Amino acid sequence: RKEVEQDPGPFNVPEGATVAFNCTYSNSASQSFFWYRQDCRKEPKLLMSVYSSGNEDGRFTAQLNRASQYISLLIRDSKLSDSATYLCVVNRDNYGQNFVFGPGTRLSVLP
Amino acid sequence: EAQVTQNPRYLITVTGKKLTVTCSQNMNHEYMSWYRQDPGLGLRQIYYSMNVEVTDKGDVPEGYKVSRKEKRNFPLILESPSPNQTSLYFCASSLTPLRGRYSPLHFGNGTRLTVT
């Protein structure tokens, strides 16, 4: 089993749609979780951290289920500018900043 | 402006010719790391550094070297590049977390390396 797995995608959705991405991780000791977005051939950029209680930032909502080792990202009212690849990132252990990246899910928002 | 700067952005070289990709950050971050990104494989960590003179191997360290003589700089060295090192490389940095919390990574804008 891979350390971090994501929906394979791509997701093609119309503007205004709600889209959800799923991510599972294998290491039950993982403590920190993030969603990054990456535009084509550019550097990944932090979208949001994922907290135990779930958190929201505008149109974006992240949820964490430790028991199922599952993270989700919900995008409401999607915009053309949301088109990107979304990366799930999990820390590997309790030491340092050793992160593992999921393969990413590509989103295309269509006019 | 707070940033991570990589150079060069693009590099084409030949097998066996030593090269260095530089990385510098101006945020006083303790932690720095190098990743390579390949289609279908995602981002994989090459080396990381927790602080000056402290470096460790990531998942794919073979064929690479790093050094951390100063806090702001973390160069990636390919002593004898081979075609399988053709990839998109990213440098990243972050603060060292306190009390078990973790700090997100800040990435440079990437170096596209082609080895022929």
Side-chain angles (χ1 to χ4, degrees):
Chain A
R1 181 184 175 189
K2 289 183 180 177
E3 289 184 86
V4 179
E5 298 191 75
Q6 296 185 239
D7 292 328
F11 285 27
N12 298 313
V13 304
E15 267 187 294
T18 296
V19 59
F21 301 126
N22 300 313
C23 170
T24 57
Y25 60 95
S26 62
N27 184 355
S28 59
S30 295
Q31 300 278 351
S32 291
F33 312 91
F34 305 95
W35 284 102
Y36 279 72
R37 70 167 279 167
Q38 185 177 24
D39 295 293
C40 188
R41 298 172 184 266
K42 294 198 172 179
E43 75 274 21
K45 292 186 178 177
L46 179 68
L47 181 65
M48 58 197 303
S49 303
V50 185
Y51 301 123
S52 295
S53 54
N55 48 300
E56 189 173 308
D57 183 2
R59 298 181 293 108
F60 300 86
T61 301
Q63 296 282 350
L64 168 64
N65 183 324
R66 285 189 189 272
S68 302
Q69 295 178 206
Y70 167 90
I71 306 157
S72 66
L73 176 68
L74 185 76
I75 305 176
R76 291 181 299 279
D77 187 24
S78 51
K79 314 288 185 193
L80 296 177
S81 58
D82 294 333
S83 297
T85 296
Y86 290 83
L87 304 172
C88 175
V89 183
V90 177
N91 84 294
R92 188 173 261 150
D93 51 37
N94 286 328
Y95 173 73
Q97 294 270 93
N98 200 355
F99 293 105
V100 60
F101 285 73
T105 303
R106 189 154 60 87
L107 170 66
S108 293
V109 181
L110 308 172
Chain B
E1 180 189 350
Q3 60 186 0
V4 179
T5 304
Q6 286 179 237
N7 279 297
R9 290 292 308 277
Y10 301 92
L11 180 57
I12 300 174
T13 190
V14 296
T15 299
K17 186 176 181 182
K18 181 180 178 180
L19 65 91
T20 299
V21 184
T22 64
C23 175
S24 181
Q25 50 91 7
N26 61 1
M27 295 170 279
N28 202 34
H29 285 169
E30 295 87 7
Y31 178 89
M32 298 186 75
S33 63
W34 277 101
Y35 292 84
R36 61 177 289 174
Q37 187 172 32
D38 303 288
L41 297 175
L43 278 150
R44 294 178 294 167
Q45 190 178 58
I46 303 170
Y47 268 94
Y48 65 97
S49 170
M50 296 299 292
N51 214 324
V52 176
E53 302 291 3
V54 181
T55 63
D56 210 345
K57 295 178 180 179
D59 296 314
V60 287
E62 294 77 21
Y64 304 95
K65 284 175 57 177
V66 293
S67 69
R68 188 87 182 273
K69 293 183 169 50
E70 306 164 282
K71 197 172 188 179
R72 63 183 294 126
N73 296 322
F74 190 44
L76 179 69
I77 303 154
L78 285 73
E79 294 272 1
S80 183
S82 62
N84 66 10
Q85 292 178 298
T86 292
S87 187
L88 177 60
Y89 291 86
F90 289 106
C91 179
S93 73
S94 72
L95 292 168
T96 296
L98 298 174
R99 290 192 292 258
R101 299 299 297 274
Y102 292 80
S103 298
L105 296 169
H106 301 260
F107 284 86
N109 52 16
T111 296
R112 185 164 292 282
L113 172 66
T114 302
V115 183
T116 61

